[in-house]
Amino acid sequence: MRILFSYTLQTLKRNKGMSLSIMAAVLLSSTLLCALCTFGYTELKWRVEVEEYENGSWHGELGGEISPEDLAVTDNNLYVEETMVKGPFTCLKLPGENALPYLIYRGADENYWRFMGEKNSIVEGRVPQKSGEIAVSRSFFEQNPQYRLGDTISMPEGERRVGNQALEAGQTSREGEHFHQTGECMVTLVGIMDMTTNTTVPGYYAMGCLDREALTGKEELVVYVKLKDIRRTYEVMPQIADAIGIPKDEYGKYDNHFRYHTMLLMLNYVFPPKEARPLLPALENWGVPLVYGSILLLAAGAFVMIIRGAFQISAAARMKQLGIFRSVGATPGQIGISILMEGILLSIVPILLSIGVGYLFTAGVMGVYTHIAGEMLYFPITVQFSPALALFSAGISFLTVLTAALIPAVKISKMTPLEAVHMQEESRKGKKKGRRKYKKHPLFRRLFGYTGELAAASHYAGRKGFRAGVLSLTLCLMLLCGFYSMMGLNDYLSIRNRQAAHYNIFARLTMITESDRKLPGELLSIPGQEENVYFCVSRLAYWAQPSQESEEFKSRGGFAGLDLNKWNLVKRDGKYRMRTYLYGMEEKAFDAFCQSLGESPAEYYDTEHLKALAWSAAPLYPEVINNSRKAGQSYSHLKLAPGQELMIEEKTEDDLDTDYTLSVEVGAVAAKGPEIGDVRNNYAINLYVPLKVYYAIAEGFGPEKAQSAYQVYVKMKTSPENDLAVAERAEELCRSFMPEEDFYLVSFGKEERDNATVSRAMGAVVDCIGILLGLIGISNTLSVVSRSMLSRRREFAMLRSVGMDTQEVGKLLALEGLRMAITPVLAAIPAVAGLLTLLLWILDVTWKELLPYIPWGEIAGGTALVMLAVAVSYRISSGKIRKDTIIEAVRNENLG
């Protein structure tokens, strides 16, 4: 073994050119593998950082009437690492007269300020650190310039009331409410929070400190739990909720603030137990790591073929010496170990270097991305690295090299000494299969004469020497085409979802009473619109019986075949409580919808006898993924009839304190809803009335429903070129009528503009990866072709000795190069198309739909790069061949 090791070292020193080429191939390949690992790790860590920065580092939330003993139970749970507590709301009344007279205040303990996202919203000042210190929303200082940080204010503390009924501190304004003082509070302003509340709430949001030791009895608290093992969240949180006595509602869910930090859990690949069963949700959950892992494996496979070719040439160069070792007693295992030893020695330094180079490459690419994305990147990206990641990427690279070296090692170790000495690798196969017949190529002879047939035959005879280069180019081209195709597919899915929406501009106006029609009217009168509408909507409830099921619904299993909790349906006394949405449409739009159903609109304006247009809606594709067009397709699941009376309840949940009901007559039954850009087909009934009638109905709603019942939704449709202008004018109008925090406006034009910037940034990242892949492909092709040409010097010398001139030799090499250049393209494009076909089938996309969105220019550039790599390699190698004299070529056996 010592002799073989010494021999391997001497061989590496003697064949410096070959050793350096192998090390270069390992370095480039390992660099890309390390960069891919670093990029994936950085992306995941960045998303986790963003989520924790904005929403806090917690896993589960509990809320309700909680005592200090309940907190102790939670704190002492073996699986709990930390708990963060937020106290109940209270009202602090500002001195003097103010448009918003209160500070809506709540305290939070030290852990809350340490782990939750509110600390990051403080744009000036600091976090409250002791009792009496508070941070207040920015709008408070903007609207009350007499106050500054550091001011200490004495304010009455108490509660808002209507009569003797106490209101929640953060509830919307109520007519006739007054302030009931219960104490006095001295506060010091220490921080400004970049947070606002709707002006429908008569106060500014404020937070201070909560002393957990001061808690005595049961109080309305919210507790955030961080577990030691995030993977146990869905197991431990229900146990804690049961232990402290949090009740469940009619849907089997815990009351009050019980919820999970779903996004953070998903980023750590922790999913609800039920989602682990069905195949489709599981694929959706694990889609990103599966795609990323496939790319990593494909890249590793490409590099195995690249490096394997270099090792195969190296092993072939010393075949005779290895055969001599076999003849004097070296075992096959020792011969194989000698080649593996070469792989290990040649890969140590490049792999170690690749960790640093890969990190720098990723940092450079991320720098380009952040520079192009600019303001669109609202949270900075820092390239993340760790010893574990370095070990992981180095391990993948090392396994790649070992696999590449193992293939020729196993092959050569199985050869007999005689086969090795005479370099007759095919002798064993020849004994079993017989001598191969010469393969004719009549097509190449017709096209290019005898030179074409000779080129085809020569390429076929040396196919094993070219196979590594062809396969590596094919895999590199597959990676490049795959990246660009996935970008095109993502663009198409975004556009398809936008096209499913009838309106391209959406505005939500927050109101607490019947709105002034002036603002919606002016929004609809902005020039450049093709269609528009505005409406209000409230969620109510209706108890349906199985006998009301439509035939189609019955054929799909009816109510009995549904997951009731998933669709928020409740079964009780043989009936099913379903959601009922009451729409109040702007009168002009309602009249048009009414007339389209052959109805007279005048019959629907009676506020004493309520009459509505009805549509029962269930999803035609309940399990659809990322397809808004299909998600909006519906069928009627209930048998409704004109003249039928529906008893509608305001009580949508058992804990709502209301018994308000209304009887609504079905005027006409619609097969689908009006074109208002709002489809609610979650096994619900949709009722449509004029906005005037809606407001009359809403007067009877309780305070909980009234908080959202008066929101006005405005939808506008424009041509793409008018989108931005109309959206900007709409935003100006909204600002002139109401505070910015009371409206929300978005348009497809704005989204496309922002997405275009992000797409350019992402395209630059893919271009950088493409450049690295191109360098790998070019260097490997140059190495493979160069070594192959040098090993065939005798062959070309013999051809020249029998009369083939330099021009014909060049033509022969050009035809060989053309074949080697075309083969990767013919293999890679169908392979990528096949993988895309499978993905398109899952996402319900046709090739006709996708083709316009594929970046053909980039793919053509990648293809041209592959062909150019081959052309350059053959050009360089053919120059060396043409300079050889016949005698030197015949005598020289050195492969360099």
Side-chain angles (χ1 to χ4, degrees):
M1 183 62 70
R2 183 178 299 176
I3 295 174
L4 282 174
F5 180 73
S6 177
Y7 163 72
T8 301
L9 286 177
Q10 291 300 321
T11 301
L12 295 180
K13 292 178 181 178
R14 188 169 56 250
N15 297 322
K16 293 180 181 178
M18 183 175 294
S19 299
L20 289 174
S21 68
I22 293 176
M23 292 177 73
V26 173
L27 176 61
L28 287 171
S29 304
S30 300
T31 295
L32 185 55
L33 287 174
C34 180
L36 287 173
C37 293
T38 306
F39 178 78
Y41 184 74
T42 297
E43 172 76 7
L44 180 61
K45 288 293 183 182
W46 179 74
R47 292 186 179 277
V48 170
E49 280 182 359
V50 171
E51 185 61 30
E52 291 185 343
Y53 181 88
E54 293 182 341
N55 299 307
S57 178
W58 56 279
H59 304 148
E61 177 186 333
L62 303 160
E65 293 287 334
I66 297 176
S67 67
E69 291 76 18
D70 295 331
L71 276 178
V73 169
T74 307
D75 289 333
N76 295 329
N77 188 287
L78 292 175
Y79 302 107
V80 172
E81 180 179 350
E82 298 283 357
T83 59
M84 297 75 82
V85 180
K86 191 162 58 176
F89 277 112
T90 187
C91 278
L92 302 179
K93 193 172 190 311
L94 290 166
E97 296 296 327
N98 293 276
L100 302 178
Y102 306 116
L103 290 184
I104 309 299
Y105 167 81
R106 74 188 314 174
D109 69 351
E110 181 182 351
N111 272 356
Y112 188 94
W113 284 111
R114 185 155 60 102
F115 289 105
M116 302 302 286
E118 279 85 345
K119 66 180 181 296
N120 302 313
S121 69
I122 295 181
V123 293
E124 190 176 343
R126 59 175 174 81
V127 166
Q129 297 173 350
K130 60 183 179 180
S131 180
E133 294 183 345
I134 64 171
V136 188
S137 64
R138 181 184 56 197
S139 56
F140 167 77
F141 293 94
E142 292 173 350
Q143 297 171 23
N144 297 275
Q146 67 271 28
Y147 295 113
R148 287 178 172 80
L149 289 180
D151 290 351
T152 299
I153 313 169
S154 177
M155 291 187 287
E157 182 177 4
E159 58 188 16
R160 298 163 53 198
R161 288 188 176 183
V162 174
N164 293 323
Q165 179 188 3
L167 301 178
E168 293 181 8
Q171 195 170 316
T172 55
S173 298
R174 293 284 302 279
E175 186 177 351
E177 72 170 73
H178 63 277
F179 180 73
H180 176 73
Q181 184 174 350
T182 58
E184 193 76 19
C185 184
M186 187 76 70
V187 297
T188 301
L189 306 176
V190 298
I192 300 175
M193 305 176 73
D194 189 17
M195 300 176 68
T196 59
T197 53
N198 293 330
T199 57
T200 55
V201 177
Y204 305 97
Y205 187 66
M207 289 191 69
C209 285
L210 172 71
D211 183 4
R212 292 176 66 160
E213 299 300 324
L215 297 174
T216 54
K218 282 185 174 289
E219 295 188 60
E220 187 71 26
L221 303 177
V222 181
V223 183
Y224 297 87
V225 180
K226 184 175 183 179
L227 300 177
K228 297 174 183 176
D229 184 359
I230 191 173
R231 293 185 298 272
R232 305 198 68 161
T233 301
Y234 289 104
E235 172 191 348
V236 174
M237 287 304 298
Q239 294 175 0
I240 297 175
D242 291 336
I244 64 177
I246 295 181
K248 292 184 178 181
D249 62 16
E250 64 270 33
Y251 302 106
K253 301 173 183 177
Y254 291 98
D255 278 338
N256 214 309
H257 290 272
F258 186 93
R259 64 189 177 107
Y260 298 100
H261 196 164
T262 308
M263 182 55 68
L264 185 61
L265 294 174
M266 288 177 62
L267 290 172
N268 285 277
Y269 298 101
V270 179
F271 306 107
K274 287 186 177 180
E275 290 191 13
R277 277 189 295 123
L279 176 62
L280 221 48
L283 288 176
E284 186 180 13
N285 289 337
W286 292 95
V288 173
L290 285 175
V291 170
Y292 182 77
S294 300
I295 292 173
L296 200 61
L297 286 175
L298 191 61
F303 303 147
V304 164
M305 301 311 303
I306 290 172
I307 302 168
R308 173 209 171 202
F311 279 120
Q312 198 160 2
I313 293 172
S314 174
R318 52 194 180 105
M319 188 79 72
K320 289 185 179 181
Q321 292 94 328
L322 293 173
I324 293 172
F325 275 117
R326 285 278 286 117
S327 66
V328 296
T331 64
Q334 290 173 329
I335 297 297
I337 289 173
S338 172
I339 299 174
L340 288 176
M341 203 179 294
E342 179 185 358
I344 294 171
L345 292 174
L346 291 177
S347 64
I348 291 174
V349 173
I351 288 176
L352 291 177
L353 284 175
S354 72
I355 295 173
V357 177
Y359 174 83
L360 292 175
F361 176 78
T362 307
V365 171
M366 287 292 98
V368 172
Y369 179 83
T370 54
H371 176 72
I372 297 175
E375 294 181 357
M376 295 296 102
L377 196 66
Y378 65 95
F379 192 87
I381 295 180
T382 303
V383 178
Q384 300 282 347
F385 207 68
S386 69
L389 180 66
L391 188 62
F392 177 74
S393 62
I396 291 179
S397 299
F398 192 67
L399 286 174
T400 299
V401 173
L402 284 183
T403 304
L406 188 63
I407 297 172
V410 171
K411 187 174 183 180
I412 292 174
S413 67
K414 291 180 179 180
M415 295 176 65
T416 66
L418 185 62
E419 289 172 337
V421 170
H422 290 284
M423 300 181 70
Q424 297 170 347
E425 299 181 37
E426 294 297 326
S427 63
R428 186 174 300 170
K429 294 182 180 178
K431 292 176 184 178
K432 296 180 180 179
K433 298 182 180 179
R435 187 178 299 275
R436 289 182 179 271
K437 292 183 178 180
Y438 169 72
K439 187 172 182 178
K440 296 182 178 180
H441 303 272
L443 178 61
F444 277 78
R445 185 180 182 87
R446 291 196 196 98
L447 293 174
F448 307 106
Y450 80 92
T451 306
E453 184 173 5
L454 186 59
S458 177
H459 192 282
Y460 178 77
R463 63 193 179 280
K464 291 188 176 181
F466 291 103
R467 190 173 292 164
V470 170
L471 283 174
S472 64
L473 285 173
T474 300
L475 290 172
C476 286
L477 188 57
M478 283 178 65
L479 283 171
L480 199 61
C481 293
F483 277 129
Y484 283 118
S485 298
M486 289 301 295
M487 285 182 62
L489 177 59
N490 185 65
D491 290 342
Y492 169 72
L493 291 175
S494 299
I495 292 172
R496 180 175 72 175
N497 288 337
R498 285 200 296 268
Q499 289 176 342
H502 186 74
Y503 298 96
N504 56 292
I505 301 176
F506 162 76
R508 183 182 65 240
L509 314 177
T510 301
M511 310 285 188
I512 59 172
T513 59
E514 180 176 345
S515 70
D516 182 352
R517 302 291 189 98
K518 187 175 181 181
L519 175 56
E522 291 206 17
L523 289 174
L524 267 56
S525 64
I526 297 174
Q529 299 182 60
E530 298 174 359
E531 292 181 48
N532 48 49
V533 67
Y534 68 87
F535 59 89
C536 296
V537 60
S538 286
R539 180 162 64 89
L540 305 172
Y542 173 72
W543 290 91
Q545 300 184 24
S547 60
Q548 295 177 271
E549 295 174 354
S550 67
E551 294 303 320
E552 183 172 0
F553 188 36
K554 285 181 182 178
S555 67
R556 292 170 175 262
F559 287 115
L562 294 178
D563 181 347
L564 300 183
N565 288 338
K566 175 182 178 181
W567 297 102
N568 288 315
L569 301 172
V570 174
K571 183 180 181 181
R572 194 171 293 157
D573 299 327
K575 296 181 180 180
Y576 295 86
R577 186 174 69 195
M578 66 176 59
R579 297 184 176 189
T580 301
Y581 298 100
L582 178 67
Y583 287 87
M585 296 174 58
E586 177 263 327
E587 285 77 6
K588 183 180 177 181
F590 176 81
D591 291 352
F593 180 50
C594 200
Q595 290 166 357
S596 71
L597 298 176
E599 290 287 301
S600 171
E603 300 176 9
Y604 293 85
Y605 283 81
D606 185 354
T607 58
E608 297 297 326
H609 179 73
L610 300 177
K611 192 174 183 180
L613 303 172
W615 173 45
S616 71
L620 196 60
Y621 301 98
E623 304 297 335
V624 69
I625 296 175
N626 199 10
N627 190 336
S628 297
R629 185 172 56 197
K630 277 195 169 183
Q633 295 183 34
S634 313
Y635 70 94
S636 294
H637 67 298
L638 293 184
K639 293 184 292 186
L640 300 177
Q644 181 180 353
E645 290 287 338
L646 302 178
M647 188 59 65
I648 309 299
E649 298 180 359
E650 184 187 3
K651 195 180 186 72
T652 52
E653 284 88 27
D654 287 351
D655 60 353
L656 281 182
D657 184 18
T658 177
D659 56 2
Y660 180 53
T661 62
L662 57 147
S663 177
V664 180
E665 179 188 345
V666 176
V669 179
K672 63 178 183 178
E675 199 64 80
I676 59 174
D678 192 278
V679 176
R680 307 196 184 194
N681 58 355
N682 49 349
Y683 299 97
I685 297 177
N686 297 279
L687 301 174
Y688 303 93
V689 298
L691 190 55
K692 174 185 175 182
V693 176
Y694 173 89
Y695 282 137
I697 296 172
E699 289 178 0
F701 291 160
E704 294 90 348
K705 191 68 63 182
Q707 292 188 46
S708 60
Y710 292 99
Q711 284 189 344
V712 177
Y713 299 88
V714 183
K715 303 291 183 74
M716 294 172 272
K717 180 181 180 181
T718 70
S719 60
E721 55 270 20
N722 290 332
D723 182 294
L724 288 173
V726 173
E728 288 173 3
R729 178 55 185 154
E731 194 167 350
E732 290 174 7
L733 277 173
C734 289
R735 282 203 183 98
S736 67
F737 275 85
M738 60 200 319
E740 188 171 350
E741 53 266 31
D742 286 355
F743 72 88
Y744 170 78
L745 189 143
V746 66
S747 79
F748 288 168
K750 285 186 176 181
E751 288 182 351
E752 287 179 1
R753 182 183 61 190
D754 296 345
N755 290 342
T757 302
V758 175
S759 294
R760 284 198 305 274
M762 196 63 211
V765 171
V766 176
D767 288 341
C768 291
I769 295 174
I771 291 171
L772 183 56
L773 283 170
L775 288 174
I776 293 171
I778 289 172
S779 65
N780 178 65
T781 305
L782 183 60
S783 174
V784 169
V785 173
S786 176
R787 299 296 174 190
S788 177
M789 292 299 103
L790 289 176
S791 68
R792 296 167 60 197
R793 291 172 70 186
R794 284 188 176 187
E795 175 189 333
F796 287 109
M798 292 176 62
L799 290 173
R800 290 165 63 189
S801 68
V802 295
M804 181 176 281
D805 59 21
T806 303
Q807 185 177 359
E808 288 178 322
V809 170
K811 182 179 178 182
L812 173 66
L813 291 173
L815 291 174
E816 283 188 19
L818 178 64
R819 182 164 182 167
M820 186 176 180
I822 292 175
T823 302
V825 177
L826 296 178
I829 301 300
V832 173
L835 293 173
L836 273 177
T837 300
L838 177 62
L839 191 58
L840 296 183
W841 174 75
I842 294 173
L843 296 172
D844 193 26
V845 179
T846 66
W847 274 104
K848 183 179 179 181
E849 294 168 329
L850 177 63
L851 287 176
Y853 297 92
I854 292 181
W856 296 109
E858 286 82 354
I859 291 177
T863 304
L865 187 66
V866 167
M867 301 182 76
L868 181 64
V870 176
V872 170
S873 301
Y874 266 91
R875 182 69 179 174
I876 294 173
S877 300
S878 64
K880 294 179 180 179
I881 294 294
R882 283 195 292 266
K883 290 178 182 177
D884 271 344
T885 64
I886 296 176
I887 295 177
E888 287 177 348
V890 170
R891 295 178 59 185
N892 194 348
E893 295 180 3
N894 182 22
L895 295 176

